[in-house]
């Protein structure tokens, strides 16, 4: 049909002019609102970055186990600084995957509905989409660069600001190169294939790491030298200047390539990428990760027959929960986390220390709260489902709570057993450990029950209604209260990790019980009703 | 899934060139076939309603014809060439209303119609916009923003945007939804006039009145197959 297009007369009308005209029509108050919205988001991003800086420093301090006696792992061959280049490669892989998922060229739903179907040359629309994609790539890469530099700064203790400046230039240029490559992939419609290759590339990277680990363990001189040189090179300005020049050349080539090809990206691809971007921005604005990480219908479809036999004898609400866990592959996240923790503890020097274990427990608690909440959410929030299942809301809530406790207890037990087997923590008093794990599980369950019922947030009214700093702090605290609840119940567990020989002070048990009370009350209510019936 | 081959042919045009032609078309999603194979040939000025139970593939068929979904098997041609929603010819000649719609939140109702009218280079577009506002009784809300409209008014804006522009083929997905009875009747009369003037209509509907007043045939999607029947038979099937 494109053959006919040459003969078609195309009008010169530019819808962008109409949209701009409407935007210019806004009065001062509306323009100020728009400006203040943007200002607030930029300010929030800067504040978040400052907190992130502190959090990363705390994390590194803990992982290095500063001043805390810890066992030597016979299999540990890496230092954290030697692993930082690996982190860089992983960041590039995942940034490229993100860009491919987001398009990167996209049009939002209103333009897809009203502009894209018009018989106009779409160069202006696509050109604008390309500029936005490049900006997105640059910003995302620069953000990763900042995080990575903070990590490096925390590990190396200090480095030249000139190195940091050149490194940032490299990250921005890398963002442009990756975006252009993603545009080329998108214009060929090969996103799925490239995503598969990238998944395999991560596996290859893991295999390479394992091989390097083996050679380091065998004291191979070449590998020892290579790892040391790579670790030193990232702190040298010449590395980044050279990298910057190479990336600049790649930037020009990739931009030329994507510019040749980006007009061929079809309307269907632009539209679906727009939907993906809208979903991601919505999740970020809502500070709710669930929508963006929900498994796709295609992924669930591939597992449509899994778990059928396993759930055949389970009560109906349990069937829903177990099938959501299996077919949505939601159990992958905690399992991958546990494997990563064990691998890091065994192979990286200094990580096998009680402070690291505290970090691992805290992260697992947050992860479990979010992970479990995604599984149990429909039972707690969809009243129609409650009616269809023929069970009371209370009964479903109790089932959800029991599921959350058992799931969290399993994950916490596996982490405790793993760290105990490696000698990072002392499992001398099994009753105490059992009680602490149980309370931690109840806390995770209480947190996930709260988070699962989290509704859409109207930040404008929430923050706009807060008239002073205390009120703003209260709003923000309320937002993280579910996570605080989960983390606070770990108090006895963390006390055991840090001082296994000492008796846990009763206030810690009390605090933990208070925060776990919600889940406990739901469960006890269930058991007492069952015993009466 | 077993799929019976079912040929649905409508060859009333004297010339061999069809405006829209689907050959051995199987529709659905990866790993889930919904309907087919179907053969469908529409000549200029024909009006066909697509009817069937929920989940029979009516909207999927429209989305496949538009290129929003790739066919599992078979081909679709518009004016003798494979359907390509990116082509200028397709965008000029095919008018579509298949979703509940999204809007530019900063553009008024009248400006939404303006964007379509000017995008299609309509001469005296101002009058045409006014005519559509009159027809769909949107004059009072012409300067309102989409967020200030009811769902029925938003539906009327989408229909006005579909009908303000010239087209050889009009595809509509349940246009009767959320419209009051009077507007529905006006719309059906207009669709009938449009068809008589040579525009081809392909409309997913659950309304027997739309079939009777505006269309000639109905494509009944039932049990993975398609069957072409008269509009009256289709209306009776919907009323059964």
């Amino acid at each position: 049909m494109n053959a006919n297009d040459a003969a078609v007369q195309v009008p010169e009308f530019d819808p962008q002019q109409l949209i701009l005209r409407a935007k210019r029509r806004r009065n001062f108050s509306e323009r100020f609102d728009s400006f203040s919205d943007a200002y607030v988001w930029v300010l929030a991003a800067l504040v978040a970055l400052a907190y992130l800086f502190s959090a990363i420093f705390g994390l590194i301090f803990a992982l290095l186990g500063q001043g805390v006696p810890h066992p030597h792992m016979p299999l540990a061959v890496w230092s954290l600084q030697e692993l930082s280049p690996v982190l860089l490669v992983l960041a590039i892989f995942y940034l490229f995957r993100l860009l491919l998922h987001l398009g990167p060229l996209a049009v939002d739903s209103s333009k897809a509905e009203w502009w894209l179907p018009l018989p106009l040359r779409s160069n202006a629309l696509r050109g604008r989409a390309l500029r936005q994609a490049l900006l997105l790539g640059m910003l995302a890469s620069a953000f990763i660069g900042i995080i990575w530099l903070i990590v490096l700064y925390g590990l190396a203790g200090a480095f030249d600001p000139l190195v940091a400046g050149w490194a940032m230039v490299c990250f921005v240029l890398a963002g442009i190169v990756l975006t252009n490559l993603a545009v080329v992939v998108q214009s060929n419609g090969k996103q799925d294939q490239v995503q598969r290759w990238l998944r395999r590339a991560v596996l290859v990277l893991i295999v390479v790491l394992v091989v390097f680990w083996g050679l380091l363990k065998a004291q191979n001189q070449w590998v020892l030298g290579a790892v040391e040189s790579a670790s030193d090179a990232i702190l040298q300005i010449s590395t980044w200047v050279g990298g910057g020049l190479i990336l600049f050349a790649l930037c020009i080539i990739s931009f030329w390539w994507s510019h040749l090809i980006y007009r061929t990206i079809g309307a269907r691809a632009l539209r679906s990428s727009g939907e993906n971007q809208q979903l991601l921005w919505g999740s970020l604005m809502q500070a709710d990760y669930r929508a963006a990480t929900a498994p796709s219908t295609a992924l669930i479809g591939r597992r449509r027959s899994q778990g059928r036999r396993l759930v055949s004898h389970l009560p109906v609400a349990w069937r829903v929960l177990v099938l959501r866990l299996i077919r949505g592959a939601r159990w992958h996240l905690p399992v991958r986390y546990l494997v990563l923790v064990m691998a890091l503890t065994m192979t990286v020097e200094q990580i096998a220390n009680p402070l690291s274990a505290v970090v691992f427990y805290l992260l697992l608690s947050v992860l479990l709260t979010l992970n479990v909440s995604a599984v149990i959410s429909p039972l707690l929030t969809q009243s129609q489902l409650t009616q269809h299942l023929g069970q009371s809301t209370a009964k479903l809530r109790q089932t959800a709570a029991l599921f959350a406790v058992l799931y969290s207890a399993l994950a916490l037990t596996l982490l405790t057993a793993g760290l105990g087997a490696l000698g990072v923590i002392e499992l001398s008093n099994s009753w105490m450990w059992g009680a602490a794990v149980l309370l931690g599980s109840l806390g995770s369950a209480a947190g996930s029950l709260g988070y699962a019922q989290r509704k859409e947030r109207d930040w404008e009214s929430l923050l706009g209604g807060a008239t002073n700093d205390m009120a703003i702090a209260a709003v923000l605290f309320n937002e993280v209260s579910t996570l605080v609840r989960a983390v606070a119940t770990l108090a006895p567990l963390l006390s055991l990790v840090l001082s296994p020989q000492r008796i846990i002070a009763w206030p810690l048990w009390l605090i933990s019980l208070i925060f776990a009370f919600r889940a406990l009350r739901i469960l006890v209510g269930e058991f007492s009703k069952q015993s009466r019936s | 899934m077993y799929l019976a081959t079912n040929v649905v042919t409508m060859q009333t045009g004297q010339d061999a060139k069809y405006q829209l032609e689907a050959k051995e078309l199987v529709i659905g999603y990866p790993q889930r076939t919904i309907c087919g194979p179907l053969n469908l040939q529409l000549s200029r000025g024909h009006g066909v309603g697509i009817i069937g139970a929920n989940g029979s593939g009516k909207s999927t068929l429209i989305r496949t014809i538009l290129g929003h979904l790739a066919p599992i098997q078979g081909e679709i041609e518009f004016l003798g060439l494979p359907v390509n929603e990116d082509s200028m010819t397709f965008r000029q000649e095919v008018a579509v209303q298949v979703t509940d719609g999204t809007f530019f939140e900063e553009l008024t109702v009248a400006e939404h119609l303006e964007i379509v009218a000017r995008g299609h280079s309509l001469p005296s577009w101002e009058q045409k916009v006014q005519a559509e506002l009159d027809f769909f009784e949107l004059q009072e809300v012409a300067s309102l923003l989409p967020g200030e409209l009811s769902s029925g008014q938003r539906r009327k804006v989408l229909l006005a945007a579909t009908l303000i522009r010239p087209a050889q083929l009009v595809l509509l997905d349940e246009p009767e939804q959320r419209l009051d009875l009077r507007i529905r009747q006006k719309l059906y009369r207009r669709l009938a006039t449009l068809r008589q003037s040579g525009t081809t209509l392909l409309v997913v509907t659950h309304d027997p009145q739309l079939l009777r007043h505006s269309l000639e045939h109905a494509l009944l999607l039932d049990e993975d197959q398609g069957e072409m029947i008269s509009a009256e038979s289709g209306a009776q099937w919907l009323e059964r």
Side-chain angles (χ1 to χ4, degrees), chain B residues 29-186:
Chain B
Y29 301 90
Q31 302 177 336
R32 194 166 84 89
T33 301
I34 293 180
C35 189
L38 297 168
N39 289 284
L40 176 70
Q41 287 127 11
L42 298 183
S43 303
R44 192 168 180 269
H46 281 106
V48 175
I50 304 173
I51 59 172
N54 293 336
S56 56
K58 303 183 294 296
S59 299
T60 309
L61 175 59
I62 290 271
R63 290 181 64 200
T64 310
I65 288 172
L66 282 171
H68 292 184
L69 274 178
I72 291 174
Q73 181 192 306
E75 291 173 6
I76 309 158
E77 290 180 351
F78 175 67
L79 299 177
L81 291 165
V83 164
N84 174 7
E85 65 165 329
D86 290 317
S87 90
M88 207 63 82
T89 312
F90 189 83
R91 285 185 275 160
Q92 275 190 343
E93 302 300 348
V94 182
V96 181
Q97 177 268 305
V98 292
T99 67
D100 279 345
T102 45
F103 297 83
F104 289 108
E105 287 308 318
E106 57 281 300
L107 260 60
T108 64
V109 168
E111 282 167 338
H112 275 90
L113 298 184
E114 180 189 337
I115 216 172
V116 180
R118 293 181 65 188
H120 284 270
S121 306
L122 294 187
S124 0
W125 57 266
E126 292 95 336
Q127 284 97 312
K128 293 200 166 107
V129 167
Q130 290 305 318
E132 289 302 332
L133 291 171
D134 284 338
F135 181 85
F136 283 100
E137 301 174 10
L138 290 165
Q139 280 293 3
E140 283 184 13
V141 296
S143 59
L144 294 189
L145 297 171
E148 298 165 332
L149 303 179
S150 70
S151 64
Q153 286 168 330
R154 286 161 78 97
R155 169 54 64 126
K156 287 201 277 188
V157 176
L158 289 173
L159 286 168
T162 311
L163 298 178
I164 193 172
R165 42 157 301 186
Q168 287 195 38
L169 173 66
V170 174
L171 298 173
L172 302 171
D173 192 357
E174 301 185 32
E176 70 273 12
Q177 271 191 1
R178 289 195 289 279
L179 297 183
D180 62 51
L181 195 58
R182 203 164 45 79
I183 293 287
R184 273 193 210 185
Q185 283 167 347
K186 276 172 76 176

Side-chain angles (χ1 to χ4, degrees), chain A residues 229-496:
Chain A
S229 328
S231 176
D232 290 343
I234 54 174
L235 295 171
Q236 305 296 323
I237 193 162
S238 55
T239 309
W240 295 104
V241 172
L245 290 174
I246 293 168
L247 282 167
F248 184 68
L250 287 174
C251 238
I252 293 170
I253 296 165
S254 64
F255 185 72
W256 169 78
W257 194 7
S258 72
H259 209 73
L260 278 182
I261 211 165
Y262 80 96
R263 289 192 185 93
T264 60
I265 295 174
R268 195 198 311 176
L270 291 173
R271 202 181 293 118
S272 72
S273 300
E275 286 165 8
N276 288 346
Q277 291 197 4
Q278 196 174 4
L279 195 64
L280 181 73
W281 301 145
S283 295
L284 285 174
M285 300 288 267
Q286 282 294 315
D288 190 338
Y289 94 117
R290 284 175 297 181
T293 56
S296 66
T297 309
L299 185 140
I300 297 170
R302 283 199 291 275
R303 300 191 175 94
R304 69 179 77 225
S305 57
Q306 289 183 10
R308 196 174 289 164
R309 199 173 293 172
L310 182 70
V311 300
S312 58
H313 298 296
L314 290 178
V316 65
W318 277 94
R319 276 189 212 186
V320 172
L321 294 173
V322 174
L323 288 180
R324 279 178 66 76
L325 190 69
I326 294 172
R327 293 182 186 171
R330 289 181 168 91
W331 58 276
H332 287 189
L333 187 62
V335 167
R336 282 177 186 160
Y337 173 78
L338 290 172
V339 170
L340 179 69
V341 163
M342 293 304 141
L344 284 175
T345 309
M346 280 194 290
T347 61
V348 183
E349 288 163 358
Q350 293 182 292
I351 284 192
N353 72 78
L355 277 181
S356 293
V358 167
V359 171
F360 294 150
Y361 275 110
L362 291 175
L363 289 177
L364 180 62
S365 176
V366 171
L367 187 144
L368 281 174
T369 303
L370 301 177
N371 185 234
V372 175
S373 73
V375 180
I376 62 176
S377 180
L379 289 195
L380 303 173
T381 57
Q382 293 175 18
S383 55
Q384 279 191 343
L385 187 63
T386 319
Q387 288 175 341
H388 290 316
L389 294 181
Q391 293 187 1
S392 69
T393 311
K395 173 77 179 166
L396 289 180
R397 199 165 55 235
Q398 284 150 1
T399 306
L402 186 57
F403 171 84
V405 171
L406 293 177
Y407 186 78
S408 304
L410 179 65
L412 285 170
T413 305
L414 285 174
L415 180 62
T416 306
L419 293 175
L422 292 176
V424 181
I425 53 177
E426 274 184 53
L427 300 177
S428 49
N429 193 339
S430 53
W431 280 104
M432 284 286 188
W433 279 101
V437 164
L438 180 63
L439 271 175
S441 313
L442 285 166
S444 284
S448 50
L449 285 166
Y451 197 81
Q453 294 174 78
R454 188 180 191 270
K455 290 181 181 148
E456 201 175 309
R457 294 288 193 259
D458 180 359
W459 294 108
E460 200 175 345
S461 69
L462 276 173
L463 293 173
T467 49
N468 55 43
D469 290 350
M470 282 300 288
I472 291 173
V475 168
L476 294 178
F477 182 77
N478 191 41
E479 283 305 314
V480 292
S481 60
T482 49
L483 299 179
V484 170
R485 193 183 299 166
V487 166
T489 53
L490 291 179
L493 198 58
L494 302 185
S495 172
L496 277 171

Side-chain angles (χ1 to χ4, degrees), chain A residues 492 495 502-511:
Chain A
S495 172
R502 289 174 63 182
I503 293 170
I504 301 170
W506 66 266
L508 289 183
W509 290 112
L510 184 67
I511 289 168

